[in-house]
């Protein structure tokens, strides 16, 4: 009776009544995650143990094992070599200068036919060569376009320079002709403008001058006008000097063109 009361006392003791559960936030979820991970790891281990190897894997393993093991005396070919004096690890050949290791085995595992890999390699090389040609042609086109742009820019600069030299020549021609009391230029375009002409005369002469000057380029006009200045006034626009005589001009002026003065 007393033992039963003791058991009841133990059952009703504070150790049973005051038990507190761990109610920290997130703890049940962590336990579930850990349990799921343990189950997953066990399942993976079981799968690895029970996994059946494929036919190719078994063939590869048997092949590797066979290639790693050296031939023994039970092999008929090796036995014949030994009868002829061959020893394991010795080079082949009468003079012993042949190969020591056997020719490596290259096993074809794919389903493609013989020569297919070489065909793929050749196609890849052709594709690469075609790509290189395209890049080369594109680079050449870009270089050509850049060169043409530089040429156009240079021609434009040369044209602007020629027009400037022509205006300077026209201005110098007008001043020097005026100093010699020449009232009318030899050609209307020799001067920048004619100051003492009436509007009617300007229109008539402008029509004639346009017809004549259209046949001449800026460089041709510049050449004609500088020659006139040198012969008539002994003047060089690039030197900016009026010389005393022809001998002085020929000896001290570098030449009749702009390139001569560079």
């Amino acid at each position: 009776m007393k033992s039963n009361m003791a058991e009841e006392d133990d059952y009703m003791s504070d150790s049973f009544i005051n038990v507190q559960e761990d109610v920290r936030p997130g703890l049940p979820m962590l336990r579930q995650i850990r349990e799921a991970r343990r189950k997953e790891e066990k399942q993976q281990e079981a799968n690895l143990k029970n996994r059946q190897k494929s036919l190719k894997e078994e063939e590869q393993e048997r092949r590797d094992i066979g290639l790693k093991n050296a031939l023994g005396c039970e092999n008929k070919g090796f036995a014949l070599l030994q009868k002829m004096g061959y020893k394991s690890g010795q080079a082949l050949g009468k003079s012993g200068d042949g190969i020591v290791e056997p020719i490596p085995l290259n096993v074809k595992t794919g389903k493609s036919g013989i020569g297919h890999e070489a065909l793929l390699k050749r196609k890849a090389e052709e594709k690469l060569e075609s790509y290189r040609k395209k890049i080369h042609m594109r680079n050449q086109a870009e270089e050509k376009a850049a060169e043409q742009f530089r040429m156009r820019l240079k021609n434009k600069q040369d044209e602007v320079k020629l027009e400037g030299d022509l205006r300077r020549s026209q201005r110098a021609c007008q001043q020097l002709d005026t100093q010699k009391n020449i009232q009318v230029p030899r050609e209307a375009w020799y001067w920048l403008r004619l100051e003492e002409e009436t509007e009617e005369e300007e229109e008539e002469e402008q029509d004639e001058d346009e017809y004549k000057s259209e046949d001449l380029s800026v460089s041709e006009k510049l050449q004609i006008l500088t020659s006139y200045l040198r012969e008539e006034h002994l003047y060089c626009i690039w030197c900016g000097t009026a010389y005393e005589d022809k001998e002085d001009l020929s000896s001290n002026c570098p030449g009749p063109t702009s390139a001569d003065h560079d």
Side-chain angles (χ1 to χ4, degrees):
M1 184 70 179
K2 288 181 179 181
S3 62
N4 291 336
M5 291 295 294
E7 288 179 1
E8 289 179 0
D9 289 339
D10 291 340
Y11 180 74
M12 298 298 292
S13 64
D14 292 340
S15 61
F16 286 94
I17 295 172
N18 297 328
V19 173
Q20 295 181 356
E21 295 182 357
D22 194 350
V23 292
R24 286 178 293 175
L27 190 61
M29 183 63 68
L30 291 175
R31 289 175 178 171
Q32 292 178 6
I33 293 172
R34 290 172 184 167
E35 187 65 25
R37 285 181 180 174
R38 282 196 294 269
K39 290 182 179 180
E40 186 178 356
E41 290 175 357
K42 289 181 180 180
Q43 186 66 33
Q44 289 179 355
E45 292 177 359
N47 291 340
L48 289 174
K49 291 179 180 178
N50 298 328
R51 187 174 67 89
Q52 293 183 352
K53 296 180 180 178
S54 65
L55 182 61
K56 288 185 179 180
E57 290 177 343
E58 293 179 355
E59 290 179 353
Q60 183 66 34
E61 289 183 359
R62 289 197 299 269
R63 188 183 304 114
D64 293 339
I65 293 171
L67 292 174
K68 288 179 182 178
N69 297 329
L71 294 176
C73 298
E74 68 278 1
N75 186 276
K76 294 183 179 180
F78 188 75
L80 290 173
L81 287 174
Q82 283 183 326
K83 289 180 179 179
M84 290 186 289
Y86 175 78
K87 295 179 181 180
S88 181
Q90 182 182 355
L92 297 179
K94 186 176 181 181
S95 57
D97 55 354
I99 62 173
V100 178
E101 297 293 332
I103 299 173
L105 183 63
N106 186 12
V107 180
K108 186 177 182 303
T109 57
K111 296 182 179 180
S112 58
I114 298 174
H116 183 69
E117 294 180 358
L119 178 63
L120 293 178
K121 183 179 179 181
R122 188 175 73 251
K123 286 185 177 180
E125 291 175 353
E126 291 176 354
K127 187 176 181 181
L128 179 61
E129 185 65 23
S130 176
Y131 174 75
R132 288 175 178 172
K133 286 182 180 179
K134 288 181 180 179
I135 294 296
H136 181 65
M137 291 176 65
R138 186 176 67 184
N139 292 338
Q140 282 186 335
E142 290 177 355
E143 291 177 1
K144 187 177 180 180
E147 183 65 24
Q148 290 176 351
F149 174 76
R150 287 192 292 268
M151 290 298 297
R152 288 196 301 270
L153 184 61
K154 185 178 182 300
N155 292 337
K156 184 65 176 178
Q157 292 174 347
D158 293 342
E159 185 178 351
V160 172
K161 186 177 182 299
L162 287 174
E163 290 176 353
D165 290 342
L166 179 60
R167 285 193 296 271
R168 281 198 301 139
S169 300
Q170 290 172 329
R171 192 178 299 109
C173 181
Q174 184 174 355
Q175 292 176 357
L176 294 172
D177 284 350
T178 304
Q179 291 175 4
K180 283 190 174 184
N181 294 324
I182 299 174
Q183 301 298 325
V184 179
R186 182 175 296 182
E187 298 289 343
W189 56 267
Y190 277 25
W191 292 5
L192 282 177
R193 63 181 181 276
L194 301 177
E195 297 179 350
E196 297 181 356
E197 289 183 345
T198 62
E199 293 182 359
E200 294 180 357
E201 290 175 346
E202 286 181 357
E203 291 178 358
E204 291 177 358
E205 292 188 4
Q206 186 176 0
D207 294 338
E208 296 178 359
D209 294 340
E210 284 181 358
Y211 177 74
K212 292 179 181 178
S213 60
E214 280 180 359
D215 297 336
L216 298 174
S217 63
V218 176
S219 60
E220 291 173 341
K221 288 181 179 180
L222 180 62
Q223 183 180 0
I224 294 170
L225 188 53
T226 52
S227 298
Y228 170 78
L229 292 172
R230 293 173 70 88
E231 293 174 1
E232 186 69 23
H233 301 289
L234 302 175
Y235 181 79
C236 175
I237 64 166
W238 294 291
C239 295
T241 305
Y243 294 93
E244 296 179 358
D245 50 29
K246 291 184 177 181
E247 184 178 354
D248 186 21
L249 175 64
S250 61
S251 60
N252 294 316
C253 180
T257 63
S258 175
D260 297 330
H261 294 76
D262 291 340

